[in-house]
C-alpha cells in the first residue's frame, strides 16, 4: 500500500504558532507583522503568487501588501525602490516574485533586499549561509521538502533530486547533505537518469512536466516527493504520474495539497525567524 503523505497536521501546527506570535506582536507593537510582495511588470503568475500570500497573511495575522513596480523604470531605479522598501522599518519581510522581466538583472535586484528581510532566502548572502550550515532561514520549497522527508522518513539517507535550480535543487541538496544524506542532483543532461533515481531511497522531482516521473524511475520501496506545479485542463498536476505510482511506490506526496501547501506557510515561518533574529 502506498502512503499518501499528508502535510495537513504540520501546516495546521505551524499556522497556530504563527497566529499566536502575530497576535502577541500586535499587542506589543500596535501593528501586525508586515510583508511586501514585489511584482515587476504585469505577470499573471507573479500576481497569483502575491495574492495567495495576501490571503494566507489574513489567516495568520500578517499584513501582506502586493507592490507593483513598473519595469520601464529601469534597473537602477527599481533597485532604489527595493532598497527603500528594505530600509523601511515598518516593513518586516520582502519577497521578489517570479518571473522578473528578462531584461533586468535578477541577482542585482535580489541583492537590494536586506538578508534580515529576505523571507524566501533568495539573497546571495542567505543562499551562501546554507552551504556553511549557518543559515537563519531556508528557501521555502527546499525547506518544505526537507521537513516532509525528516518527519515521515527520518531513516532515508539516499536522495535523488531532479532539479538543479537555486529555488529547489541546489539549496535542497545542501540542506540534505548538511544532515548526512547522500544526494544525487540530476538535470536535463544527466545520463542514466532512471537508474540514478531508482537506486535512491527517495526521489524529489521538480522538472515542470506533467506525468514525467513514471514507474521506470522508481521501485516499490521509493518515496516520491513531487514538487511540480503544472496548470492543465484538468487542474493543477504535479510532475509524477500519480495514478500509476499510487499502489506501486512506498509513499508519494499529492499535488495539489503536498509540497506547495507546506511551502506557502514556510514563507511566514521565515518571517518570524528573521524578526526574532532582528529583535
Ligand atoms: P526550473 O528552473 O525550470 O528547473 C527545472 C529543472 O528540471 C532544471 O534543473 C532542469 O534541468 C530539470 N529538467 C527539465 N527537464 C528535464 C528532463 N527531461 N530530465 C531531467 N531534468 C529535467 O524550474 P524551478 O523553478 O526549479 O521549478 C521546477 C518545478 O517546480 C516547476 O513545476 C515549478 O512550478 C515547481 N515549483 C513548485 C514549488 C512548490 O511550492 N511546490 C515551488 C517552486 C517551484 P536543466 O537545469 O538542465 O535545465
Amino acid at each position: 500500500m502506498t502512503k499518501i503523505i499528508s502535510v495537513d497536521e504540520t501546516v495546521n501546527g505551524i499556522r497556530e504558532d504563527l497566529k499566536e506570535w502575530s497576535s502577541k506582536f500586535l499587542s506589543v507593537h500596535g501593528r501586525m507583522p508586515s510583508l511586501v510582495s514585489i511584482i515587476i511588470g504585469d505577470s499573471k503568475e507573479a500576481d497569483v503568487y502575491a495574492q495567495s500570500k495576501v490571503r494566507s497573511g489574513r489567516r495568520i495575522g500578517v499584513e501582506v501588501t502586493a507592490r507593483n513596480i513598473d519595469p520601464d523604470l529601469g534597473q537602477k531605479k527599481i533597485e532604489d525602490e527595493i532598497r527603500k522598501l528594505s530600509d523601511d522599518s515598518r516593513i518586516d519581510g520582502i519577497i521578489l516574485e517570479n518571473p522578473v522581466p528578462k531584461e533586468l538583472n535578477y541577482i542585482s535586484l535580489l541583492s537590494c533586499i536586506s538578508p534580515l528581510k529576505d523571507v524566501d532566502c533568495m539573497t546571495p548572502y542567505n543562499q551562501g549561509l546554507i552551504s556553511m550550515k549557518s543559515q537563519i532561514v531556508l528557501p521555502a520549497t527546499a525547506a518544505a521538502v526537507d521537513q516532509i522527508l525528516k518527519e515521515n522518513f527520518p531513516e532515508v539517507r539516499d536522495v535523488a533530486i531532479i532539479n538543479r535550480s537555486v529555488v529547489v535543487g541546489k539549496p535542497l541538496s545542501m540542506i540534505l547533505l548538511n544532515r548526512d544524506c547522500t544526494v544525487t542532483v540530476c538535470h536535463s543532461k544527466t545520463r542514466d537518469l532512471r537508474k540514478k533515481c531508482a537506486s535512491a531511497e527517495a526521489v524529489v522531482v521538480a522538472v515542470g512536466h506533467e506525468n514525467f516521473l513514471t514507474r521506470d524511475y522508481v521501485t516499490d520501496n521509493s518515496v516520491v516527493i513531487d514538487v511540480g506545479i503544472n496548470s492543465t485542463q484538468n487542474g493543477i498536476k504535479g510532475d509524477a504520474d500519480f495514478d500509476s505510482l499510487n499502489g506501486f511506490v512506498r509513499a508519494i506526496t499529492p499535488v495539489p495539497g503536498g509540497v506547495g501547501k507546506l511551502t506557502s506557510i514556510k514563507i511566514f515561518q521565515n518571517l518570524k525567524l528573521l524578526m526574532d533574529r532582528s529583535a
Side-chain angles (χ1 to χ4, degrees):
M1 253 250 301
T2 299
K3 171 180 172 161
I4 311 295
I5 303 162
S6 169
V7 298
D8 291 352
E9 210 178 299
T10 306
V11 169
N12 290 340
I14 296 174
R15 187 179 295 117
E16 288 314 307
D17 281 354
L18 289 172
K19 277 161 83 172
E20 203 183 312
W21 159 75
S22 65
S23 105
K24 263 190 207 149
F25 185 91
L26 176 63
S27 65
V28 173
H29 298 275
R31 68 166 179 89
M32 287 192 275
S34 71
L35 175 65
V36 171
S37 157
I38 301 174
I39 304 157
I40 307 181
D42 52 6
S43 155
K44 204 174 156 199
E45 231 179 312
D47 200 48
V48 167
Y49 294 145
Q51 289 314 321
S52 139
K53 289 183 187 84
V54 171
R55 282 193 302 276
S56 305
R58 268 191 215 123
R59 291 185 72 183
I60 294 166
V62 172
E63 186 184 5
V64 182
T65 315
R67 176 72 65 99
N68 288 80
I69 299 185
D70 181 353
D72 292 339
L73 284 176
Q75 182 80 29
K76 183 164 179 323
K77 283 195 176 146
I78 297 175
E79 286 183 7
D80 290 344
E81 278 289 305
I82 298 176
R83 261 189 228 103
K84 220 184 289 169
L85 294 169
S86 189
D87 290 343
D88 188 333
S89 60
R90 293 160 304 177
I91 296 172
D92 303 304
I94 296 178
I95 186 160
L96 177 56
E97 301 293 357
N98 268 310
V100 164
K102 284 196 171 39
E103 61 274 18
L104 295 170
N105 183 330
Y106 178 57
I107 306 296
S108 293
L109 296 177
L110 284 173
S111 306
C112 299
I113 300 173
S114 157
L116 284 174
K117 295 193 178 179
D118 175 21
V119 290
D120 202 21
C121 189
M122 286 305 290
T123 58
Y125 180 81
N126 279 336
Q127 285 263 333
L129 286 182
I130 305 171
S131 68
M132 296 171 159
K133 216 176 170 179
S134 301
Q135 69 274 1
I136 313 165
V137 287
L138 293 169
T141 309
V145 172
D146 178 50
Q147 183 159 358
I148 291 170
L149 282 173
K150 244 182 347 202
E151 277 182 3
N152 294 279
F153 311 98
E155 76 291 354
V156 162
R157 284 282 177 272
D158 287 317
V159 183
I161 305 169
I162 320 178
N163 183 295
R164 58 170 159 180
S165 73
V166 289
V167 180
V168 186
K170 282 187 184 137
L172 179 60
S173 64
M174 215 60 78
I175 295 164
L176 293 172
L177 195 60
N178 285 344
R179 64 168 181 89
D180 300 331
C181 292
T182 300
V183 189
T184 307
V185 183
C186 308
H187 47 79
S188 65
K189 312 285 188 302
T190 297
R191 292 190 194 137
D192 297 327
L193 180 63
R194 288 177 177 77
K195 212 164 118 193
K196 287 187 170 77
C197 292
S199 63
E201 294 166 276
V203 181
V204 179
V205 61
V207 296
H209 304 312
E210 188 194 358
N211 292 334
F212 177 88
L213 198 88
T214 55
R215 285 189 185 197
D216 304 348
Y217 292 79
V218 290
T219 70
D220 56 2
N221 200 32
S222 303
V223 171
V224 175
I225 309 292
D226 191 351
V227 181
I229 300 179
N230 304 294
S231 293
T232 75
Q233 284 182 334
N234 301 318
I236 300 290
K237 300 281 176 193
D239 288 344
D241 182 354
F242 187 89
D243 291 341
S244 93
L245 296 184
N246 185 13
F248 180 66
V249 292
R250 178 179 172 201
I252 187 166
T253 55
V255 177
V259 176
K261 193 170 181 182
L262 187 51
T263 298
S264 309
I265 203 142
K266 284 271 171 200
I267 294 285
F268 294 93
Q269 205 178 30
N270 279 348
L271 178 69
K272 176 182 181 300
L273 285 169
L274 292 169
M275 287 172 70
D276 288 349
R277 179 59 77 97
S278 311

